[in-house]
């Protein structure tokens, strides 16, 4: 992690053209002044040159220099986090994570516990449902938590992410064709516009239902687990299943993907297609997801998941271990000045000793909450 005097950070500004990345400009930032520093804000400036105009883009970059020790140093930390069905990670939800840290933590967990990610998300989901107030079922999974961040991370990561890219590319292409066909008609009154949004929504939902047979078993297994857990919690509330699916899948993932097409889809999009997709995303209601719910429940898995419950740490990447360690440590430092996990330097305590101190602290918080 030590920075040599010749080290530099190069930032490129690119855009995609015909599936090829084209560089607009680049800025090089020397990092020699960061020696023996842990944090620095950099402000490189990029020039964006077009045919008829020129603009300048100022970037705010955060550079953090952390010691990355040998992989074995983090083995105890990773094992402690997954002990007792990820009890430690369940406790870490009591930390106030900001959005960036929460999403980063979810992605690091997904990398470190790649073989056990299904077991991890199912354990977190069960914990959240079990501890959710019984008389407040409408707010289930509405808050931004480690669980919801990890769920979205799993949906975006391969193989799920590849599946969704294909599904949504098809949806965007179909919507684009429909928008182009009706773009010449300028006499659309309010009633006709509402009718078009409804037609568009039905086509999107039909496309999702038709794709259910191709859904990766990871998604199918997690969805079924969610529905099973909410049915146990609220056995006399049949609508809670569709409401929960609506929140964790449609509100947090589907609607976002619909209203934020990938770059590859944007290149061929009609200017009005983005608004049409956004209208669909806003129009999907709980009652509309019943068909998708039934299709998932009636679809058969394509393979045996053979869910693993313990991650083998022998192949842990040292960089991933260091990222996990420093992310938890920095979040604790920023959110809880009384935390026992504030060593003078990273080498003052082992990662395991530090984590045990934190978990003891968080156990007391959970007891107070209960």
């Amino acid at each position: 992690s030590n920075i040599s005097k010749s080290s530099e950070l190069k930032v490129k500004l690119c855009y995609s053209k015909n599936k090829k990345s084209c560089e607009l400009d680049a800025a090089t930032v020397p990092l020699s002044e960061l020696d023996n520093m842990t944090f620095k804000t950099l402000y490189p400036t990029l020039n964006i040159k077009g045919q008829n105009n020129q603009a300048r883009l100022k970037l705010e970059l955060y550079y953090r220099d952390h010691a990355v020790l040998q992989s074995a140093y983090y083995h105890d930390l990773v094992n402690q986090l997954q002990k007792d069905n990820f009890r430690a990670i369940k406790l870490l939800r009591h930390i106030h994570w900001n959005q960036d840290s929460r999403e980063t933590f979810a992605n690091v967990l997904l990398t470190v516990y790649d073989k056990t990610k299904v077991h991890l998300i199912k354990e977190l989901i069960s914990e959240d449902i079990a501890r959710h107030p019984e008389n407040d079922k409408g707010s289930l999974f509405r808050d931004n938590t480690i669980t919801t961040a990890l769920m979205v991370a799993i949906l975006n990561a391969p193989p799920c992410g590849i599946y969704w890219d294909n599904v949504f590319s098809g949806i965007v292409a179909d919507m684009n064709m429909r928008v182009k066909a009706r773009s010449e008609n300028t006499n659309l009154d309010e009633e006709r516009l509402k009718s078009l949004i409804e037609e568009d929504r039905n086509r999107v939902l039909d496309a999702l239902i038709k794709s259910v047979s191709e859904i990766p078993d990871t998604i199918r297994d997690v969805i079924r687990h969610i529905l099973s857990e909410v049915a146990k919690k609220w056995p006399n509330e049949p609508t809670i299943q569709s409401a929960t699916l609506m929140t964790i899948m449609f509100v947090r993932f589907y609607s976002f993907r619909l209203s934020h097409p990938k770059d590859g889809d944007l290149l061929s999009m009609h200017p009005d297609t983005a608004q049409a997709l956004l209208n669909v995303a806003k129009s999907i209601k709980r009652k509309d997801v019943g068909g998708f719910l039934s299709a998932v429940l009636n679809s058969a898995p394509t393979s045996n998941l053979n869910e693993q419950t313990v991650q083998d740490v022998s192949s842990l990447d040292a960089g991933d271990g260091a990222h996990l360690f420093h992310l938890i440590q920095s979040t604790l430092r920023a959110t809880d000045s009384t935390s026992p996990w504030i060593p003078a330097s990273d080498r003052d305590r082992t990662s395991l000793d530090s984590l045990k101190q934190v978990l003891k602290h968080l156990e007391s918080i959970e007891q107070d909450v209960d």
Side-chain angles (χ1 to χ4, degrees), residues 66-300:
H66 282 315
V68 178
L69 305 180
Q70 292 183 352
S71 174
Y73 179 83
Y74 305 105
H75 287 181
D76 288 341
L77 171 67
V78 174
N79 279 328
Q80 184 68 32
L81 285 171
Q82 67 179 337
K83 185 179 177 181
D84 297 331
N85 291 320
F86 297 101
R87 173 63 178 158
I89 295 176
K90 294 173 186 176
L91 285 171
L92 289 173
R93 74 185 189 283
H94 292 301
I95 300 174
H96 177 72
W97 299 84
N98 63 44
Q99 181 176 343
D100 289 340
S101 294
R102 183 172 55 246
E103 292 177 357
T104 302
F105 185 52
N107 283 291
V108 173
L109 289 177
L110 194 59
T111 301
V112 171
Y113 297 104
D114 176 61
K115 302 297 184 183
T116 57
K117 60 179 179 287
V118 174
H119 182 62
L120 169 58
I121 188 61
K122 287 164 72 172
E123 282 293 323
L124 294 180
I125 286 169
S126 295
E127 181 80 2
D128 279 11
I129 293 174
R131 291 187 170 276
H132 194 81
E134 194 166 345
N135 60 351
D136 189 26
K137 56 183 180 292
S139 64
L140 183 62
F141 296 126
R142 289 281 179 179
D143 292 336
N144 295 317
T145 64
I146 292 174
T147 304
T148 56
L150 184 61
M151 183 69 182
V152 173
I154 288 175
L155 291 172
N156 278 312
C160 303
I162 297 172
Y163 161 75
W164 293 122
D165 285 346
N166 293 334
V167 171
F168 282 102
S169 289
I171 288 174
V172 170
D174 179 69
M175 183 70 73
N176 201 43
M177 181 181 65
R178 288 167 57 78
V179 169
K180 285 180 179 179
R182 67 197 186 210
S183 61
E184 298 178 1
N185 188 352
T186 58
N187 298 319
L188 297 176
D189 57 24
E190 186 175 347
E191 287 301 316
R192 180 54 182 154
L193 287 173
K194 288 181 179 179
S195 175
L196 288 173
I197 292 174
E198 184 176 350
E199 291 174 14
D200 292 342
R201 182 188 66 224
N202 290 338
R203 288 180 72 90
V204 168
L205 292 171
D206 286 344
L208 289 174
I209 292 172
K210 289 177 181 177
S211 72
V212 161
S213 61
E214 302 170 14
I215 283 183
D217 289 330
T218 301
I219 304 176
R220 185 181 287 106
D221 190 36
V222 172
I223 290 176
R224 286 177 170 171
H225 180 75
I226 293 171
L227 300 178
S228 173
E229 291 297 291
V230 296
K232 290 178 187 176
K233 178 84 171 185
W234 294 280
N236 299 319
E237 299 283 349
T239 60
I240 186 63
Q241 290 188 330
S242 58
T244 304
L245 184 66
M246 176 71 194
T247 300
I248 202 165
M249 295 291 286
F250 281 82
V251 173
R252 292 192 172 278
F253 182 70
Y254 291 170
S255 294
F256 181 84
R257 286 296 301 266
L258 282 173
S259 54
H260 294 78
K262 291 294 183 75
D263 291 344
D265 297 323
L266 287 171
L267 293 175
S268 59
M269 271 178 50
H270 186 277
D272 295 334
T273 301
Q275 184 60 51
L277 290 167
L278 180 60
N279 291 338
V280 170
K282 290 180 177 180
S283 71
I284 296 177
K285 307 298 182 185
R286 186 178 68 184
K287 61 182 178 61
D288 300 320
V289 306
F292 179 78
L293 177 61
S294 298
V296 171
L297 293 177
N298 293 327
S299 63

